[in-house]
Structures are given as structure tokens and as C-alpha cells.
Amino acid sequence: MIRHDPRSRTFQLEGQGFSYLLGVSPRKDLHHLHWGVPLSPKAKRALLSDWEKRALEDEHHISREFQRREFPDFGHNDLRTPAFLLEHTDGTRVSEFLYDSFKVLPGKPDFGPGPASRSKTGDQAQTLKIVLVDQLQKLELDLYYTFYPSYGLLVRRTILRNQGRKPVDILKLASASLDLPPGPWNLVRFPGKWAGERQMKDGPLQEGTVRLESRRGISSHEMNPFAMVTRGETSEEKGEVFALAPVTSGNWLIEAELFRDRSLRMTVGLNDFGFKWRLEPGKAFVTPESLLAYSGDGFSNLSLRLHRFVKDRVLGGHWQKRPRPMLINNWEATYFKFDQEKLLKIAKAGKDAGLELFVLDDGWFGKRNDDTTSLGDWTVDRRKLPEGLGGLSERIHGMGLKFGLWIEPEMVSPKSLLYKKHPDWCLHAPGRVRRGSRSQLVLDMGRPEVRDHLFKVLTAALEEAKVDYVKWDMNRSLSEVHSAALPPDRQSEVYFRYVMGVYDLMDRLNRRFPRVLFEGCSGGGARFDLGVLNYHPQIWTSDNTDGLDRLKIQYATSFAYPPLVMGAHVSSVPNHFTHRSLPLKWRALVAMSGNFGVEADLTKWSKKDLKELAGYISLYREIRPLVQFGDFYRLESPFAGPRASWLFVSPERSQALLFIFQTEPWKRGTKVPPVRLRGLAPLRHYSIEGAGKFKGDRLMEVGFLPAPFRSPSQKFICGLYHLKG
Ligand code: DGJ
């Protein structure tokens, strides 16, 4: 709970396995005292008395760089990475915000537009608001800490209010800053590329500053907006982990500065690169929120907390707690080359195999026979679909399938009617080339008239198609970021206005179609973030559907995001991206480890393969609640090899699903080790078909090695074991 101790002038946020302490120094500077393991009363007393001594040190003599500061400025004598930077009308960038007041609010306030984690009665969330004031400039900084004690999580956000008579330019405003004590510190990040998202990398932090960021206008393939720092040795089960996630789908930033004394300052939030926001008198700027999570007992516990939080407080709407339909998507089956007859055949084959939803991907509108044309013209191409979207949808529904549609709202093709009519609706710099990427330009989503138009035409298409599902794609980074609708001194606001405009359109379409399931997508997983998940309760994980590459992508994605939100499809072999041919069982088990679907021309599959696929589909139907709503435990990493494994455990721990993938043979002479399970009830007996009955503690302490995996020379074998207790 949140406690204010007036005697020590401290704020203490304490919950399950988590504690966060901050204090007001005698000269009203806000100091960070502790984030991490809950402190015993004795340890807390020692920490506070040590801090009180240091806080009294003369700041004119001793640099503030020796202090741990909660929301540091730049320009006095702390020259480490600041949490904010403001430019005042006299040209100075020096600010001084001192503590003014605080409030503890029940639940979580409504911060207006944009993504926000939810708070519900019963989750005991509370929000601490701390007000800092710059007297000279008449500016107020509100620091918000929403504490979810049962999840051990903190959600931070900052608001700057201009109460003066002059405007101020915001050059940087983080959602949170953290001064952590001397390390050794290790940084875990999730870099990637198209078709190779979220490859996990870790390494020790050295003196200097590391910037993890996106300057692309989307959260990006190149780096996922999620990072962890660990202190000392950390494994799935042991060690301290601190995780940070900016909740935005646009330009984000996580900075880690290891100072000369090996203390670590981190900031998280909006990227300051190319950012400037003019704040007029009487106005406020609200940053996106950022998530802070801590685990004192390894990665596993951290991910469990994050997964539960995402499922309970980030996702919302009709589909939040509902099992997701198993879909068949026509993209890899046909690309742009299809007609109604072809689609119906694929859909029928999907239905016969047991699938539940048919998704019509790119190519149904304008004159879109390849990717050079028609984005923006959201009217059906009757040459391909003579009965229109309505006719196709009716036939699909008639088969007993749900119907879904692909859209890419944020884009316009230079070859399109929309571009002809509104050439200034795209982002472009006056007098400069408009650089296409995948032959498309980006619409200026910050402009209300652009969003109104999109809302109108997309509503018409989705209504006509009577959709049950929408795949919202976004296939390029932003360039020539300039808006024809804004004056010169507001151009540095375009990135932020863009992403807020995207959220606005997502929100309006969500409200207009409350029962429709939206899936986010961005050239695969270039916008896999907590912001999108507020509106789209699942995301296409990667365009790479290869079962071996996917092991790594899905494994690494699971550090922050639950398998429920990861779109995972079985595709044909050889794989279109890697040209590799993996057994169907392998491909199916990888897809069954997430939000299962199929993306293949099943009309070309052999009877044998179709029968086998139907078996997996019916098995997934049975295990779906456990995969989608159970607890996920990573057991063995595909990055380490030669075997990868993971486990889903039901909330009451009566059932579990063990997935094992042998990616390489063991080195000659290796005695094959059993797979050690986690998360089971130690005293419960679990039966595993064909293997026997085992006690939970034995499975967790000794492990389990199914017969097919005992030979060290095996490769590309996999298995799924259902534990019933
Ligand atoms: C990129 C997506 O990731 C694919 O799944 C597919 O929808 C294509 N775009 C369509 O252009």
C-alpha cells in the first residue's frame, strides 16, 4: 500500500515482493531511496537514517551526482541523464522543481486519450500523485505512481502544467526516471529485424549511456519497447530483475547510464530525439505511461506478473477473457492472386479441418494486384470479388465460419484515388521527395479530417463485410515527418500527434465494433507493444512462420507478453521465408504454443497432412483455455539449445502442458538430462499418458524425460505432454 511518513518525509509503496521508497530532502528535492526487495523494519530504518544524513549534505559543496534523485533535471550540478529538459522563453534550459505536495488517490485517475492500464475495484490499486513546482517559471510537474500491489507493479506517468504567462518548450519529458545503486548491472534487450523480431541479447553494462529506442514512428522491429536490468547472477528462478516498458507504439526511449561509481540511472518514456512540444500558458502535457516491474526471484516470476497484468489490466473489451478463434488466413496461400472461388475453397478446407474463422488478407480493394497501389481506396475490387465483401462474407458465414478482413488504415499509395484527391494528407516535407517504402506513403494521422475520413470509409467496409475480426496492418516506418496542417514551430510534435491519432482511430473503431476481434500487425511484429494491446487484444508475432525461428521469437516475446496475445500460424513447407521443411507436428506444436491459426493453401495439402492437421486443431480446441489463460513457464531456452521446452499450468495447478522441441542432437557422449518442470503443486500427483504418474515435486526437482527424447542423436523431434493431476 502507499504510505506517507511525515516524520521521515518519505513515501513508501509496499506490496507482494516489492517495495519502492522515495523521500523529500530538507531543501525539498525529491530523492529515490529504494526499488526492489521488501525491506525489513531494521533495514528500512538503516536506509532512512543513511539517507537523512546524505540529504543534509551541502549541495553547493557536494555535487547532486552523489544523490539518488527521483525526477532529475539537468543544468545544476547533476550532469547525468535528465528525466526532462525544458527551454524557457529567455532561452535558458535550467529548471528547478521542488517538492510541493502530494495526494493518494484510490484506483487510477483517467488521464484522457491514449492507452492506459485499467484499474478495477478489488485490485487495491492506488495512485500517488506528487507535485513539484518551479516557482520561477510557474510550472508544475505531477508525478503519478499507480501501484498495483497484487501484481507487484508500478505504472508511472508525468504531467507538466504551465501555470505561467509564457509558453515553454518541452524538449524531453520521461514517464519515469530511476536511480539504482551501484551494480554490477546487466542489460537484457530485445533487438530484431523484419521476420526476426525480439532476439534476446544480454550483457554487462559498462560506464556510459545505452539508448534503446525507436525513431521510426512505430515501436519497431529493431528494438522492442521492453528491457530488463539484472543485478548479479539471474536465472529463471533466482536473482533480481527490474523491467521497464514505455506504453507507446511510437517513438520510445529507455536510457541506461552507468555512472562512474557504477550506480545506474534509467529513464523510460517518450523519445526526446527530434521532439519538442510547445506548451502554452494554461495547458498541460501528459506523457504516455510506463510500466515498472520487479522480481526478486528471477525472470519467471517477473513474466508471470507481467502476463497476468497484461491479461487483466491491459487488454480490455469483449475479447479480453474469451478464447480466441482458430483462424485460417489466405496471405501465404495466395498473396495478391485470388478470386472469390479460390478463397471459398481455402475457407472450406479450413472449415473441414476444424478451423473457426476465415481471414481475407491484403489485396481485396482498389486495384491491388501487388503492393504498389490502392492503399487508401477501401472499396472492394469487384473483379476479384464480384459479390462484394458482403457476398463473400455471407458465403463464409454460411459455411459456419466467422469472417475477418485485413486493413492498413495509416497508409496511402501514390497510385490511388485518395492520393489524387488529397496529396497533402500524407506526411511530407515541403519541396522534398516523398520516399516510398513498399511503394507507400504514411497518412498524417495527427489530422482529425484524415481520421474522420478513415473512420467513415473503414466503417462502411467493415459493416458491409459483417466482420467478426479485423487485422490492422502497418507496413513501414515514418519518413519526411512533417505535417501540412501544422505551423513550423509545431513540426517537432508530429511523431507524437501521429501515434495519438492512431490510438484515436483504433479507439473509435473499437467502440463502433465492440464485438469485433482486432489483431495488431506491423510487417509482422514491428508494433508489438503494450500500447497496441490496449486496443488490439492480439498481435501477429512475425511474418516468419518457420517453426525453428519461431521458437526463439515466441520464447523471447514471452518475457513481457503472454502467449495469448501472440498470433502463431502453421504454414506450408518449404517455408516461404527460410525455405526450410519442418515436420507438420513441429510446426503445429509451435503454433499451438500461442494463439493458433493456419496460413496456407490447404487445398494443396495431401489428405494425410489434412487429417494430421485436423488432429492438432481438435487438440488445440481442447487445450486452448490452458494455453491462452494458464500460466506460462519457460523451461529451456532455444537460444541455448539443443533442446527447448516450456510449460503451461492451469491456475489451480491441476493440469499442465509440456512442450519439448529437440532442435539439435546432443554433443557426443552427453548424458541426456531430464526436463525440469516448474509451477506445479509439489504434493499433487500428475498422470502423463503413456509415461505414468509422477509427484509434482519430483517433476520439478528431478525432472521428466519422455522416451522419444532419450537418445542423444535425435533432432527435430518434438512432443506435447498433458499432465493431469
Ligand atoms: C504484412 C503482414 O505482416 C502480413 O501478414 C500480410 O498481412 C502482409 N503485410 C500483407 O501486405
PDB file of all heavy atoms in Angstrom, residues 194 329 331 335-336 361-363 368 371 406 408 438 471 473-475 521-525 540 542-543 599, ligand 1:
ATOM      1  N   TRP A 194      12.873  -7.392 -39.478  1.00  0.00           N
ATOM      2  CA  TRP A 194      11.697  -7.990 -40.091  1.00  0.00           C
ATOM      3  C   TRP A 194      11.919  -9.513 -40.170  1.00  0.00           C
ATOM      4  O   TRP A 194      12.992  -9.981 -40.523  1.00  0.00           O
ATOM      5  CB  TRP A 194      11.468  -7.416 -41.501  1.00  0.00           C
ATOM      6  CG  TRP A 194      10.349  -8.135 -42.199  1.00  0.00           C
ATOM      7  CD1 TRP A 194       9.029  -8.098 -41.877  1.00  0.00           C
ATOM      8  CD2 TRP A 194      10.461  -9.026 -43.311  1.00  0.00           C
ATOM      9  NE1 TRP A 194       8.301  -8.915 -42.708  1.00  0.00           N
ATOM     10  CE2 TRP A 194       9.166  -9.505 -43.601  1.00  0.00           C
ATOM     11  CE3 TRP A 194      11.544  -9.480 -44.078  1.00  0.00           C
ATOM     12  CZ2 TRP A 194       8.908 -10.399 -44.634  1.00  0.00           C
ATOM     13  CZ3 TRP A 194      11.291 -10.378 -45.107  1.00  0.00           C
ATOM     14  CH2 TRP A 194       9.980 -10.818 -45.378  1.00  0.00           C
ATOM     15  N   ASN A 329      -5.840 -17.860 -42.568  1.00  0.00           N
ATOM     16  CA  ASN A 329      -5.573 -16.608 -43.267  1.00  0.00           C
ATOM     17  C   ASN A 329      -5.026 -16.951 -44.654  1.00  0.00           C
ATOM     18  O   ASN A 329      -4.238 -17.876 -44.809  1.00  0.00           O
ATOM     19  CB  ASN A 329      -4.538 -15.819 -42.432  1.00  0.00           C
ATOM     20  CG  ASN A 329      -4.078 -14.543 -43.112  1.00  0.00           C
ATOM     21  OD1 ASN A 329      -3.605 -14.563 -44.239  1.00  0.00           O
ATOM     22  ND2 ASN A 329      -4.208 -13.432 -42.420  1.00  0.00           N
ATOM     23  N   TRP A 331      -3.039 -15.158 -46.654  1.00  0.00           N
ATOM     24  CA  TRP A 331      -1.882 -14.413 -47.172  1.00  0.00           C
ATOM     25  C   TRP A 331      -0.827 -15.342 -47.800  1.00  0.00           C
ATOM     26  O   TRP A 331      -0.550 -15.267 -48.993  1.00  0.00           O
ATOM     27  CB  TRP A 331      -1.283 -13.531 -46.070  1.00  0.00           C
ATOM     28  CG  TRP A 331      -0.082 -12.747 -46.520  1.00  0.00           C
ATOM     29  CD1 TRP A 331       1.173 -12.830 -46.021  1.00  0.00           C
ATOM     30  CD2 TRP A 331      -0.019 -11.764 -47.562  1.00  0.00           C
ATOM     31  NE1 TRP A 331       2.014 -11.965 -46.666  1.00  0.00           N
ATOM     32  CE2 TRP A 331       1.307 -11.298 -47.631  1.00  0.00           C
ATOM     33  CE3 TRP A 331      -0.954 -11.225 -48.449  1.00  0.00           C
ATOM     34  CZ2 TRP A 331       1.735 -10.337 -48.537  1.00  0.00           C
ATOM     35  CZ3 TRP A 331      -0.531 -10.252 -49.363  1.00  0.00           C
ATOM     36  CH2 TRP A 331       0.794  -9.826 -49.399  1.00  0.00           C
ATOM     37  N   TYR A 335      -1.160 -14.740 -51.584  1.00  0.00           N
ATOM     38  CA  TYR A 335      -0.692 -13.354 -51.677  1.00  0.00           C
ATOM     39  C   TYR A 335      -1.793 -12.544 -52.384  1.00  0.00           C
ATOM     40  O   TYR A 335      -2.952 -12.646 -51.975  1.00  0.00           O
ATOM     41  CB  TYR A 335       0.686 -13.266 -52.332  1.00  0.00           C
ATOM     42  CG  TYR A 335       1.711 -13.985 -51.453  1.00  0.00           C
ATOM     43  CD1 TYR A 335       2.232 -15.239 -51.805  1.00  0.00           C
ATOM     44  CD2 TYR A 335       2.119 -13.435 -50.249  1.00  0.00           C
ATOM     45  CE1 TYR A 335       3.141 -15.896 -50.967  1.00  0.00           C
ATOM     46  CE2 TYR A 335       3.027 -14.096 -49.406  1.00  0.00           C
ATOM     47  CZ  TYR A 335       3.527 -15.316 -49.775  1.00  0.00           C
ATOM     48  OH  TYR A 335       4.401 -15.966 -48.933  1.00  0.00           O
ATOM     49  N   PHE A 336      -1.448 -11.782 -53.462  1.00  0.00           N
ATOM     50  CA  PHE A 336      -2.486 -10.910 -54.042  1.00  0.00           C
ATOM     51  C   PHE A 336      -3.354 -11.633 -55.071  1.00  0.00           C
ATOM     52  O   PHE A 336      -4.291 -11.074 -55.608  1.00  0.00           O
ATOM     53  CB  PHE A 336      -1.814  -9.708 -54.721  1.00  0.00           C
ATOM     54  CG  PHE A 336      -1.081  -8.825 -53.757  1.00  0.00           C
ATOM     55  CD1 PHE A 336       0.299  -8.889 -53.622  1.00  0.00           C
ATOM     56  CD2 PHE A 336      -1.771  -7.931 -52.952  1.00  0.00           C
ATOM     57  CE1 PHE A 336       0.974  -8.082 -52.721  1.00  0.00           C
ATOM     58  CE2 PHE A 336      -1.102  -7.111 -52.048  1.00  0.00           C
ATOM     59  CZ  PHE A 336       0.275  -7.188 -51.932  1.00  0.00           C
ATOM     60  N   ASP A 361      -6.878 -11.484 -46.307  1.00  0.00           N
ATOM     61  CA  ASP A 361      -5.738 -10.574 -46.097  1.00  0.00           C
ATOM     62  C   ASP A 361      -5.681  -9.532 -47.213  1.00  0.00           C
ATOM     63  O   ASP A 361      -6.675  -9.277 -47.921  1.00  0.00           O
ATOM     64  CB  ASP A 361      -4.443 -11.400 -45.979  1.00  0.00           C
ATOM     65  CG  ASP A 361      -3.404 -10.757 -45.082  1.00  0.00           C
ATOM     66  OD1 ASP A 361      -2.728  -9.825 -45.554  1.00  0.00           O
ATOM     67  OD2 ASP A 361      -3.281 -11.153 -43.912  1.00  0.00           O
ATOM     68  N   ASP A 362      -4.537  -8.955 -47.404  1.00  0.00           N
ATOM     69  CA  ASP A 362      -4.282  -7.858 -48.338  1.00  0.00           C
ATOM     70  C   ASP A 362      -4.730  -8.216 -49.769  1.00  0.00           C
ATOM     71  O   ASP A 362      -4.626  -9.368 -50.185  1.00  0.00           O
ATOM     72  CB  ASP A 362      -2.760  -7.615 -48.326  1.00  0.00           C
ATOM     73  CG  ASP A 362      -2.377  -6.302 -48.953  1.00  0.00           C
ATOM     74  OD1 ASP A 362      -3.252  -5.622 -49.494  1.00  0.00           O
ATOM     75  OD2 ASP A 362      -1.174  -5.969 -48.886  1.00  0.00           O
ATOM     76  N   GLY A 363      -5.187  -7.193 -50.521  1.00  0.00           N
ATOM     77  CA  GLY A 363      -5.439  -7.380 -51.952  1.00  0.00           C
ATOM     78  C   GLY A 363      -6.904  -7.375 -52.352  1.00  0.00           C
ATOM     79  O   GLY A 363      -7.227  -7.615 -53.514  1.00  0.00           O
ATOM     80  N   ARG A 368      -5.587  -3.579 -56.324  1.00  0.00           N
ATOM     81  CA  ARG A 368      -4.393  -4.065 -55.625  1.00  0.00           C
ATOM     82  C   ARG A 368      -4.028  -5.496 -56.038  1.00  0.00           C
ATOM     83  O   ARG A 368      -4.384  -6.468 -55.370  1.00  0.00           O
ATOM     84  CB  ARG A 368      -4.608  -3.971 -54.124  1.00  0.00           C
ATOM     85  CG  ARG A 368      -3.329  -4.235 -53.341  1.00  0.00           C
ATOM     86  CD  ARG A 368      -3.222  -3.321 -52.182  1.00  0.00           C
ATOM     87  NE  ARG A 368      -2.229  -3.724 -51.207  1.00  0.00           N
ATOM     88  CZ  ARG A 368      -1.073  -3.079 -51.019  1.00  0.00           C
ATOM     89  NH1 ARG A 368      -0.769  -2.023 -51.752  1.00  0.00           N
ATOM     90  NH2 ARG A 368      -0.240  -3.480 -50.082  1.00  0.00           N
ATOM     91  N   ASP A 371       1.897  -4.820 -54.382  1.00  0.00           N
ATOM     92  CA  ASP A 371       1.934  -3.852 -53.276  1.00  0.00           C
ATOM     93  C   ASP A 371       2.266  -2.426 -53.720  1.00  0.00           C
ATOM     94  O   ASP A 371       2.670  -1.602 -52.899  1.00  0.00           O
ATOM     95  CB  ASP A 371       2.899  -4.335 -52.172  1.00  0.00           C
ATOM     96  CG  ASP A 371       4.328  -4.507 -52.668  1.00  0.00           C
ATOM     97  OD1 ASP A 371       4.638  -4.040 -53.780  1.00  0.00           O
ATOM     98  OD2 ASP A 371       5.145  -5.111 -51.940  1.00  0.00           O
ATOM     99  N   TRP A 406      -8.490  -7.855 -43.561  1.00  0.00           N
ATOM    100  CA  TRP A 406      -7.218  -7.113 -43.387  1.00  0.00           C
ATOM    101  C   TRP A 406      -7.426  -5.663 -43.807  1.00  0.00           C
ATOM    102  O   TRP A 406      -8.057  -5.388 -44.835  1.00  0.00           O
ATOM    103  CB  TRP A 406      -6.170  -7.768 -44.280  1.00  0.00           C
ATOM    104  CG  TRP A 406      -4.810  -7.113 -44.315  1.00  0.00           C
ATOM    105  CD1 TRP A 406      -3.720  -7.481 -43.594  1.00  0.00           C
ATOM    106  CD2 TRP A 406      -4.377  -6.025 -45.151  1.00  0.00           C
ATOM    107  NE1 TRP A 406      -2.635  -6.690 -43.917  1.00  0.00           N
ATOM    108  CE2 TRP A 406      -3.015  -5.788 -44.871  1.00  0.00           C
ATOM    109  CE3 TRP A 406      -5.018  -5.225 -46.104  1.00  0.00           C
ATOM    110  CZ2 TRP A 406      -2.273  -4.793 -45.506  1.00  0.00           C
ATOM    111  CZ3 TRP A 406      -4.277  -4.228 -46.732  1.00  0.00           C
ATOM    112  CH2 TRP A 406      -2.912  -4.022 -46.426  1.00  0.00           C
ATOM    113  N   GLU A 408      -5.115  -1.664 -43.773  1.00  0.00           N
ATOM    114  CA  GLU A 408      -3.891  -0.940 -43.388  1.00  0.00           C
ATOM    115  C   GLU A 408      -4.210   0.559 -43.395  1.00  0.00           C
ATOM    116  O   GLU A 408      -3.819   1.302 -44.304  1.00  0.00           O
ATOM    117  CB  GLU A 408      -2.743  -1.271 -44.347  1.00  0.00           C
ATOM    118  CG  GLU A 408      -1.419  -0.788 -43.793  1.00  0.00           C
ATOM    119  CD  GLU A 408      -0.205  -1.157 -44.648  1.00  0.00           C
ATOM    120  OE1 GLU A 408      -0.378  -1.791 -45.703  1.00  0.00           O
ATOM    121  OE2 GLU A 408       0.911  -0.789 -44.247  1.00  0.00           O
ATOM    122  N   ARG A 438       7.895   0.146 -49.485  1.00  0.00           N
ATOM    123  CA  ARG A 438       6.884  -0.774 -50.030  1.00  0.00           C
ATOM    124  C   ARG A 438       5.912   0.038 -50.906  1.00  0.00           C
ATOM    125  O   ARG A 438       4.699  -0.159 -50.856  1.00  0.00           O
ATOM    126  CB  ARG A 438       6.134  -1.485 -48.923  1.00  0.00           C
ATOM    127  CG  ARG A 438       5.611  -2.852 -49.349  1.00  0.00           C
ATOM    128  CD  ARG A 438       4.633  -3.438 -48.359  1.00  0.00           C
ATOM    129  NE  ARG A 438       4.301  -4.801 -48.720  1.00  0.00           N
ATOM    130  CZ  ARG A 438       3.206  -5.422 -48.362  1.00  0.00           C
ATOM    131  NH1 ARG A 438       2.314  -4.834 -47.605  1.00  0.00           N
ATOM    132  NH2 ARG A 438       2.993  -6.657 -48.736  1.00  0.00           N
ATOM    133  N   LYS A 471      -7.732  -7.500 -39.087  1.00  0.00           N
ATOM    134  CA  LYS A 471      -6.268  -7.468 -38.929  1.00  0.00           C
ATOM    135  C   LYS A 471      -5.799  -6.085 -39.359  1.00  0.00           C
ATOM    136  O   LYS A 471      -5.953  -5.707 -40.520  1.00  0.00           O
ATOM    137  CB  LYS A 471      -5.637  -8.545 -39.805  1.00  0.00           C
ATOM    138  CG  LYS A 471      -4.113  -8.569 -39.781  1.00  0.00           C
ATOM    139  CD  LYS A 471      -3.607  -9.754 -40.596  1.00  0.00           C
ATOM    140  CE  LYS A 471      -2.112  -9.768 -40.782  1.00  0.00           C
ATOM    141  NZ  LYS A 471      -1.695 -10.848 -41.694  1.00  0.00           N
ATOM    142  N   ASP A 473      -2.946  -3.739 -40.133  1.00  0.00           N
ATOM    143  CA  ASP A 473      -1.535  -3.821 -40.501  1.00  0.00           C
ATOM    144  C   ASP A 473      -0.914  -2.426 -40.581  1.00  0.00           C
ATOM    145  O   ASP A 473      -1.626  -1.407 -40.655  1.00  0.00           O
ATOM    146  CB  ASP A 473      -1.446  -4.539 -41.862  1.00  0.00           C
ATOM    147  CG  ASP A 473      -0.116  -5.247 -42.081  1.00  0.00           C
ATOM    148  OD1 ASP A 473       0.822  -5.000 -41.317  1.00  0.00           O
ATOM    149  OD2 ASP A 473      -0.035  -6.046 -43.037  1.00  0.00           O
ATOM    150  N   MET A 474       0.414  -2.353 -40.623  1.00  0.00           N
ATOM    151  CA  MET A 474       1.145  -1.080 -40.718  1.00  0.00           C
ATOM    152  C   MET A 474       2.538  -1.442 -41.210  1.00  0.00           C
ATOM    153  O   MET A 474       3.328  -1.997 -40.453  1.00  0.00           O
ATOM    154  CB  MET A 474       1.200  -0.465 -39.317  1.00  0.00           C
ATOM    155  CG  MET A 474       1.573   0.972 -39.195  1.00  0.00           C
ATOM    156  SD  MET A 474       3.175   1.422 -39.829  1.00  0.00           S
ATOM    157  CE  MET A 474       3.191   3.143 -39.491  1.00  0.00           C
ATOM    158  N   ASN A 475       2.820  -1.156 -42.485  1.00  0.00           N
ATOM    159  CA  ASN A 475       3.980  -1.782 -43.105  1.00  0.00           C
ATOM    160  C   ASN A 475       5.175  -0.901 -43.412  1.00  0.00           C
ATOM    161  O   ASN A 475       5.963  -1.233 -44.292  1.00  0.00           O
ATOM    162  CB  ASN A 475       3.546  -2.487 -44.386  1.00  0.00           C
ATOM    163  CG  ASN A 475       2.884  -3.808 -44.063  1.00  0.00           C
ATOM    164  OD1 ASN A 475       3.496  -4.668 -43.449  1.00  0.00           O
ATOM    165  ND2 ASN A 475       1.629  -3.969 -44.435  1.00  0.00           N
ATOM    166  N   CYS A 521      -0.802  -5.702 -36.218  1.00  0.00           N
ATOM    167  CA  CYS A 521       0.214  -6.272 -37.088  1.00  0.00           C
ATOM    168  C   CYS A 521       1.036  -5.108 -37.626  1.00  0.00           C
ATOM    169  O   CYS A 521       0.503  -4.015 -37.823  1.00  0.00           O
ATOM    170  CB  CYS A 521      -0.473  -7.019 -38.232  1.00  0.00           C
ATOM    171  SG  CYS A 521       0.665  -7.639 -39.478  1.00  0.00           S
ATOM    172  N   SER A 522       2.317  -5.330 -37.846  1.00  0.00           N
ATOM    173  CA  SER A 522       3.114  -4.282 -38.469  1.00  0.00           C
ATOM    174  C   SER A 522       4.283  -4.973 -39.156  1.00  0.00           C
ATOM    175  O   SER A 522       5.323  -5.196 -38.541  1.00  0.00           O
ATOM    176  CB  SER A 522       3.596  -3.304 -37.401  1.00  0.00           C
ATOM    177  OG  SER A 522       4.338  -2.271 -38.000  1.00  0.00           O
ATOM    178  N   GLY A 523       4.043  -5.362 -40.415  1.00  0.00           N
ATOM    179  CA  GLY A 523       5.059  -6.145 -41.114  1.00  0.00           C
ATOM    180  C   GLY A 523       5.483  -7.297 -40.209  1.00  0.00           C
ATOM    181  O   GLY A 523       6.663  -7.489 -39.949  1.00  0.00           O
ATOM    182  N   GLY A 524       4.502  -8.018 -39.678  1.00  0.00           N
ATOM    183  CA  GLY A 524       4.760  -8.971 -38.597  1.00  0.00           C
ATOM    184  C   GLY A 524       4.709  -8.212 -37.290  1.00  0.00           C
ATOM    185  O   GLY A 524       3.733  -7.529 -36.997  1.00  0.00           O
ATOM    186  N   GLY A 525       5.805  -8.264 -36.526  1.00  0.00           N
ATOM    187  CA  GLY A 525       5.743  -7.748 -35.151  1.00  0.00           C
ATOM    188  C   GLY A 525       6.504  -6.474 -34.894  1.00  0.00           C
ATOM    189  O   GLY A 525       7.190  -6.354 -33.885  1.00  0.00           O
ATOM    190  N   TRP A 540       0.006 -10.062 -34.451  1.00  0.00           N
ATOM    191  CA  TRP A 540       0.719 -11.007 -35.314  1.00  0.00           C
ATOM    192  C   TRP A 540       2.205 -10.913 -34.957  1.00  0.00           C
ATOM    193  O   TRP A 540       2.838  -9.871 -35.107  1.00  0.00           O
ATOM    194  CB  TRP A 540       0.436 -10.661 -36.772  1.00  0.00           C
ATOM    195  CG  TRP A 540       1.109 -11.526 -37.794  1.00  0.00           C
ATOM    196  CD1 TRP A 540       1.739 -11.096 -38.917  1.00  0.00           C
ATOM    197  CD2 TRP A 540       1.182 -12.963 -37.820  1.00  0.00           C
ATOM    198  NE1 TRP A 540       2.212 -12.175 -39.637  1.00  0.00           N
ATOM    199  CE2 TRP A 540       1.889 -13.329 -38.981  1.00  0.00           C
ATOM    200  CE3 TRP A 540       0.735 -13.972 -36.962  1.00  0.00           C
ATOM    201  CZ2 TRP A 540       2.154 -14.665 -39.314  1.00  0.00           C
ATOM    202  CZ3 TRP A 540       1.002 -15.302 -37.290  1.00  0.00           C
ATOM    203  CH2 TRP A 540       1.696 -15.628 -38.458  1.00  0.00           C
ATOM    204  N   SER A 542       5.121 -12.378 -36.016  1.00  0.00           N
ATOM    205  CA  SER A 542       6.193 -12.216 -37.001  1.00  0.00           C
ATOM    206  C   SER A 542       5.729 -12.767 -38.336  1.00  0.00           C
ATOM    207  O   SER A 542       4.978 -13.741 -38.375  1.00  0.00           O
ATOM    208  CB  SER A 542       7.424 -13.000 -36.549  1.00  0.00           C
ATOM    209  OG  SER A 542       8.419 -12.962 -37.562  1.00  0.00           O
ATOM    210  N   ASP A 543       6.239 -12.180 -39.431  1.00  0.00           N
ATOM    211  CA  ASP A 543       5.949 -12.750 -40.747  1.00  0.00           C
ATOM    212  C   ASP A 543       6.720 -14.042 -40.967  1.00  0.00           C
ATOM    213  O   ASP A 543       6.475 -14.759 -41.932  1.00  0.00           O
ATOM    214  CB  ASP A 543       6.321 -11.750 -41.853  1.00  0.00           C
ATOM    215  CG  ASP A 543       5.185 -10.757 -42.098  1.00  0.00           C
ATOM    216  OD1 ASP A 543       4.082 -10.982 -41.575  1.00  0.00           O
ATOM    217  OD2 ASP A 543       5.414  -9.758 -42.803  1.00  0.00           O
ATOM    218  N   GLU A 599      -2.000 -20.591 -41.969  1.00  0.00           N
ATOM    219  CA  GLU A 599      -1.805 -19.629 -43.039  1.00  0.00           C
ATOM    220  C   GLU A 599      -1.227 -20.412 -44.214  1.00  0.00           C
ATOM    221  O   GLU A 599      -0.006 -20.459 -44.394  1.00  0.00           O
ATOM    222  CB  GLU A 599      -0.831 -18.557 -42.542  1.00  0.00           C
ATOM    223  CG  GLU A 599      -0.565 -17.491 -43.536  1.00  0.00           C
ATOM    224  CD  GLU A 599      -0.191 -16.174 -42.870  1.00  0.00           C
ATOM    225  OE1 GLU A 599      -0.405 -15.987 -41.669  1.00  0.00           O
ATOM    226  OE2 GLU A 599       0.318 -15.316 -43.601  1.00  0.00           O
TER     227      GLU A 599
HETATM  228  C1  DGJ B   1       2.481  -7.732 -43.602  1.00  0.00           C
HETATM  229  C2  DGJ B   1       1.831  -8.700 -42.668  1.00  0.00           C
HETATM  230  O1  DGJ B   1       2.671  -8.982 -41.601  1.00  0.00           O
HETATM  231  C3  DGJ B   1       1.442  -9.950 -43.434  1.00  0.00           C
HETATM  232  O2  DGJ B   1       0.905 -10.889 -42.554  1.00  0.00           O
HETATM  233  C4  DGJ B   1       0.477  -9.578 -44.504  1.00  0.00           C
HETATM  234  O3  DGJ B   1      -0.725  -9.131 -43.944  1.00  0.00           O
HETATM  235  C5  DGJ B   1       1.070  -8.521 -45.415  1.00  0.00           C
HETATM  236  N1  DGJ B   1       1.577  -7.405 -44.684  1.00  0.00           N
HETATM  237  C6  DGJ B   1       0.058  -8.032 -46.407  1.00  0.00           C
HETATM  238  O4  DGJ B   1       0.515  -6.996 -47.153  1.00  0.00           O
END
